[in-house]
Amino acid sequence: MNSQSVDDSYGMLGRDLSCVWYLSVLLKGMAMGAADVVPGVSGGTVAFISGIYGLLIESIQRCSQGCWRFLRRGRVLAFWRYINGPFLLTLGSGIAISVVVLARGVHTLLNTYPQL
């Protein structure tokens, strides 16, 4: 299966997008990370509400749809484009930033105010 045969219903895979779009993805990732820090709240819900859930699922699915053949052939850039690497990296970075920052704050609050 080649990369062109995979459904790209969101029209964003393999496309050059603006810095503003990537900034919005970073901020949505940060919101997802904040939701993950709060017990009972899902980052997936935030992704759904913010409109990137479908693209996220499609990008993750591409990680298991024979994408490894690109790496086996030494085609790293083709692999990166196929899995929508820039989107996943930007989103993952936002999640990581938020989790690290907020987890420290929650830890400090719990130590300072144990009655909460």
Side-chain angles (χ1 to χ4, degrees), residues 21-23 25-30 52 55-56 59-60 63 79-81 83-97:
W21 188 81
Y22 282 110
L23 178 61
V25 170
L26 181 73
L27 293 174
K28 290 173 184 179
M30 292 175 74
I52 60 170
L55 182 58
L56 175 60
S59 299
I60 292 170
C63 292
F79 166 80
W80 187 245
R81 287 180 180 155
I83 66 166
N84 200 8
F87 168 76
L88 291 174
L89 179 64
T90 304
L91 188 68
S93 297
I95 292 170
I97 290 167

Side-chain angles (χ1 to χ4, degrees), residues 57-112:
I57 295 301
E58 184 175 350
S59 299
I60 292 170
Q61 284 176 338
R62 284 174 166 247
C63 292
S64 65
Q65 294 177 343
C67 67
W68 307 110
R69 72 182 183 281
F70 292 116
L71 290 179
R72 284 193 301 270
R73 295 178 184 159
R75 297 180 59 206
V76 177
L77 186 57
F79 166 80
W80 187 245
R81 287 180 180 155
Y82 183 78
I83 66 166
N84 200 8
F87 168 76
L88 291 174
L89 179 64
T90 304
L91 188 68
S93 297
I95 292 170
I97 290 167
S98 188
V99 166
V100 168
V101 170
L102 293 177
R104 287 183 184 173
V106 168
H107 179 70
T108 302
L109 285 173
L110 288 175
N111 285 335
T112 305

